Amino acid sequence: MADFREQRAAVKFCFLLGKSGTETLEMLKTAYKDDAMGETQVFEWFSRFKNGEMSIDDKPRSGRPSTARTHENVEKIREIIKEDRRRTIEEIVELSGVTWSSAARDSWKQASQGGGFGGHTEGEMGAGAEGFGGGAKAKMGFSFGAGANAGAGADQ
């Protein structure tokens, strides 16, 4: 997620000058192009300022902040899988330093975004893929490439 603190300051500035939310949104789009905050965000900040909340900081949120799901960790897992697509989740955890659940989620996401499961059909994956309910030493039996032998399974 982009850091919109600078834009929030600009929204506050426009609010204090008496500009409308629509005028402010247009100015942000002119200045920040595709990186401008959205219409809903602009109007939410305008609403806060109208209600006397003049801080441009986010409100505190409950719960533990996510530390595992960073761009660096996702890239690290992607590279580990590209090196050897048959690594166990435990190996990915050891090499990347992320938790088991994060490694499993990011490995699954990588497979689903990287062109599917090679030569497997959905039925073959559900019945034959170890690791999706197959215990802690799960092998991720899918591939990122295409071809006759791509993703032929974890047992080969």
Side-chain angles (χ1 to χ4, degrees):
M1 179 163 76
D3 181 18
F4 290 117
R5 189 168 166 74
E6 179 180 309
Q7 291 185 50
R8 290 182 211 144
V11 170
K12 182 178 179 181
F13 179 74
C14 290
F15 172 80
L16 293 172
L17 287 176
K19 301 288 185 190
S20 72
T22 305
E23 289 174 307
T24 301
L25 179 63
E26 289 306 313
M27 286 190 273
L28 288 173
K29 285 181 179 179
T30 300
Y32 292 98
K33 310 280 188 253
D34 291 337
D35 294 326
M37 65 171 52
E39 179 179 2
T40 302
Q41 288 177 299
V42 171
F43 284 97
E44 283 177 2
W45 283 101
F46 254 78
S47 177
R48 285 187 191 187
F49 299 144
K50 284 180 188 174
N51 292 329
E53 297 177 45
M54 299 309 282
S55 172
I56 61 169
D57 295 323
D58 279 329
K59 291 180 181 177
R61 299 178 188 194
S62 63
R64 181 179 173 190
S66 175
T67 56
R69 190 61 191 253
T70 64
H71 179 70
E72 293 80 24
N73 284 343
V74 172
E75 282 301 314
K76 211 182 294 184
I77 290 172
R78 181 175 289 135
E79 290 303 315
I80 290 168
I81 293 170
K82 279 183 182 178
E83 289 172 11
D84 181 0
R85 66 181 175 84
R86 295 172 191 248
R87 289 200 189 274
T88 64
I89 294 175
E90 283 73 21
E91 291 171 331
I92 294 170
V93 167
E94 188 175 319
L95 293 168
S96 67
V98 300
T99 64
W100 192 93
S101 59
S102 293
R105 179 187 59 236
D106 290 343
S107 298
W108 175 258
K109 213 171 191 96
Q110 173 66 27
S112 64
Q113 293 173 352
F117 296 103
H120 283 297
T121 65
E122 186 176 328
E124 289 171 330
M125 283 304 298
E130 296 178 45
F132 298 92
K137 286 284 186 187
K139 285 264 188 191
M140 304 302 287
F142 46 80
S143 73
F144 300 103
N149 294 323
D155 294 329
Q156 290 185 348

